[in-house]
Amino acid sequence: MMQLSSPTAGGAQYAVSATGNNQRESQAENIQSLCTPTCSTNGTHSDGYTGAFEGPEKLLEMWFAADAGMAHHVGSDAHISSDEWAEHRTGLRLVPRTVWSDMLDMVHCQVLSTLSNAHIDSYLLSESSFFVYPHKLVLKTCGTTTLLYAIPRILSIAREHLGAMCAHQVFYSRKNFMYPDQQEELHQSWAKEVAYLDALFPDGAAYLIGKTNRDHWHVYLSGPESETVSNSLAGSPVLCPQMSRSSSQSTVHGVMQSSTSSDITVEILMTGLDAERMRLMYLGGASTEEGAAGGAAVERLSGISDIYPNAATDSYLFTPCGFSLNGLQGDGYFTIHVTPEPHCSYASFETNVSGSGVRDLHDPQATKHLVEQVTRVFGPKFVTVTVFKARAAEAPQSVADNAWENGVKDGLAKTADAAPLSFAPVDGYKAMDRVLYEFDHYWLRYAYYIRAD
């Protein structure tokens, strides 16, 4: 067990200890060269680990009410926090942290530190991130973690602590794995994952987006139109009451959310990272200090801190390499995770921070500038971009009145059910794949780019 330092940075609170998985030990013969021949062992619990670290994350988002105002804690062991955000916590945010830690143990990851504001509690993990709102949670894990096994436990926690008889909406996604054979059996194929999810959510739907013989993206969705959830892995089906959809509230992944939140989420997944820029992601590159101090140095020297300069951040530089960050601004979050080793390099960036003094992601030019800013940090050869936009969510008037470069009429931009506009060209990259999906409750725009060397 590795003891983590107790000092805090950026308002983050650090855990007392975490497992050896956090150490990111490498087979490098010369750490001073800042280049390892094989990927680090952080993020895997498999005895047969081969040194090929799986950076691409599994992403699970579960909603238990249509918006934060509908989530009320009913459990008897509410977590009574003593920090400055205690009076703001409701719903799932009142679940004791020990309960969340036990759930995360099932996934094979541990909490490194926490960061909170009036809207969200974020947990920086040994393998990626966990975000808790009053009415929903977002769990993102890399390596050989067993994320889907946590779903029955999460459903149980929501019943016990929120009084939710089922999930209002479930969203699961991941990029194609680099090393699928290294995953635990459930996660070795998309077909196995879908079968497991179908057993829990009979009305769910699975999709593969992009070229099957190139980088592509898997998505699984259930609800909010579903009225039942199966407990075939833990009981019998239960009735899931429909939530009101009469408001103008929007979503992160197509489900109604508080009116103060962004209704767009952007995810940028990158491989083939620039080796020179990745030197900062090794201990001894941006900093000789592991943990929060090293993470802060990486933020500053890499340009990450310029993406959302007013956000509160919580980051970690691993030994001998690797970087993770959670950021909060208003009721939005962003998260970054980096595996810098050359033969399995990978970085992910995800955000739902939009408007309120920052770039408005309804505007395709704003999305273009975000993608360009992020790719300048990492210099990837291959880039996958996804944009989710809630349906029945009206674009801001300021954006609707702009003259769009692709010639879409202002009237369409003002429409409450307008699709996200086509991606503007990204400097330095060639678009190889562009797909628009129209689902019942949201739009999905997908693009795949290759660096134009």
Side-chain angles (χ1 to χ4, degrees), residues 36-81:
T36 58
T38 61
C39 292
S40 58
T41 59
N42 180 62
T44 180
H45 61 280
S46 301
D47 293 336
Y49 178 68
T50 64
F53 184 74
E54 188 68 67
E57 301 96 344
K58 311 167 185 82
L59 173 62
L60 174 69
E61 183 166 330
M62 298 184 70
W63 294 64
F64 295 95
D67 61 73
M70 299 177 70
H72 302 287
H73 191 278
V74 298
S76 60
D77 59 344
H79 172 65
I80 308 300
S81 58

Side-chain angles (χ1 to χ4, degrees), residues 54 167 185 212 218 243 298 326 342 414:
E54 188 68 67
E185 183 177 0
T212 59
H218 300 284
M243 301 294 181
V298 171
N326 286 345
K414 296 176 183 177

Side-chain angles (χ1 to χ4, degrees), residues 10-342:
Q13 299 179 351
Y14 280 82
V16 175
S17 64
T19 68
N21 283 355
N22 306 331
Q23 297 180 37
R24 278 194 160 283
E25 297 175 350
S26 171
Q27 299 176 15
E29 296 179 356
N30 183 4
I31 293 178
Q32 296 302 317
S33 70
L34 303 182
C35 181
T36 58
T38 61
C39 292
S40 58
T41 59
N42 180 62
T44 180
H45 61 280
S46 301
D47 293 336
Y49 178 68
T50 64
F53 184 74
E54 188 68 67
E57 301 96 344
K58 311 167 185 82
L59 173 62
L60 174 69
E61 183 166 330
M62 298 184 70
W63 294 64
F64 295 95
D67 61 73
M70 299 177 70
H72 302 287
H73 191 278
V74 298
S76 60
D77 59 344
H79 172 65
I80 308 300
S81 58
S82 58
D83 63 18
E84 61 184 306
W85 309 113
E87 65 183 66
H88 298 279
R89 287 194 174 91
T90 60
L92 293 172
R93 295 186 69 193
L94 288 173
V95 172
R97 289 182 180 176
T98 55
V99 174
W100 291 133
S101 294
D102 289 344
M103 179 274 292
L104 291 169
D105 283 343
M106 300 176 64
V107 180
H108 300 285
C109 57
Q110 292 76 40
V111 176
L112 299 180
S113 58
T114 62
L115 179 69
S116 298
N117 67 12
H119 307 277
I120 318 167
D121 293 316
S122 74
Y123 297 76
L124 196 65
L125 306 179
S126 54
E127 289 81 22
S128 301
S129 298
F130 181 43
F131 298 93
V132 181
Y133 286 79
H135 61 302
K136 69 172 184 176
L137 57 83
V138 179
L139 179 56
K140 189 170 192 172
T141 66
C142 59
T144 58
T145 50
T146 51
L147 184 147
L148 291 183
Y149 284 140
I151 293 179
R153 178 60 183 140
I154 292 170
L155 290 168
S156 176
I157 291 170
R159 281 194 298 269
E160 180 179 354
H161 297 277
L162 194 61
M165 295 305 295
C166 73
H168 178 57
Q169 165 98 352
V170 177
F171 172 93
Y172 174 68
S173 69
R174 65 170 175 83
K175 182 184 175 294
N176 56 297
F177 289 135
M178 297 178 181
Y179 310 104
D181 292 343
Q182 299 299 320
Q183 294 292 317
E184 295 297 314
E185 183 177 0
L186 172 60
H187 291 289
Q188 286 183 354
S189 75
W190 181 238
K192 292 179 180 179
E193 292 174 312
V194 171
Y196 182 87
L197 289 163
D198 281 346
L200 282 167
F201 309 105
D203 296 328
Y207 303 88
L208 188 155
I209 300 172
K211 295 185 173 81
T212 59
N213 60 340
R214 297 289 187 271
D215 280 353
H216 51 268
W217 204 52
H218 300 284
V219 184
Y220 186 95
L221 304 166
S222 177
E225 71 281 356
S226 298
E227 295 187 354
T228 61
V229 57
S230 171
N231 266 343
S232 61
L233 301 181
S236 58
V238 295
L239 180 66
C240 183
Q242 290 291 314
M243 301 294 181
S244 170
R245 304 176 191 170
S246 59
S247 72
S248 61
Q249 295 163 340
S250 57
T251 82
V252 172
H253 288 305
V255 189
M256 284 167 292
Q257 183 185 344
S258 78
S259 58
T260 59
S261 296
S262 168
D263 61 357
I264 283 186
T265 294
V266 174
E267 192 170 12
I268 306 170
L269 311 177
M270 297 160 280
T271 56
L273 308 182
D274 180 78
E276 183 62 28
R277 298 179 209 191
M278 288 304 97
R279 291 171 66 88
L280 296 175
M281 308 295 169
Y282 287 79
L283 195 67
S287 173
T288 59
E289 295 187 65
E290 183 186 10
V298 171
E299 290 183 56
R300 184 177 65 256
L301 295 176
S302 66
I304 288 173
S305 61
D306 296 328
I307 299 174
Y308 290 109
N310 297 320
T313 60
D314 173 15
S315 59
Y316 199 100
L317 177 63
F318 292 90
T319 298
C321 64
F323 173 81
S324 288
L325 175 146
N326 286 345
L328 303 179
Q329 184 159 339
D331 60 356
Y333 68 85
F334 70 101
T335 184
I336 298 172
H337 301 282
V338 185
T339 299
E341 294 96 328

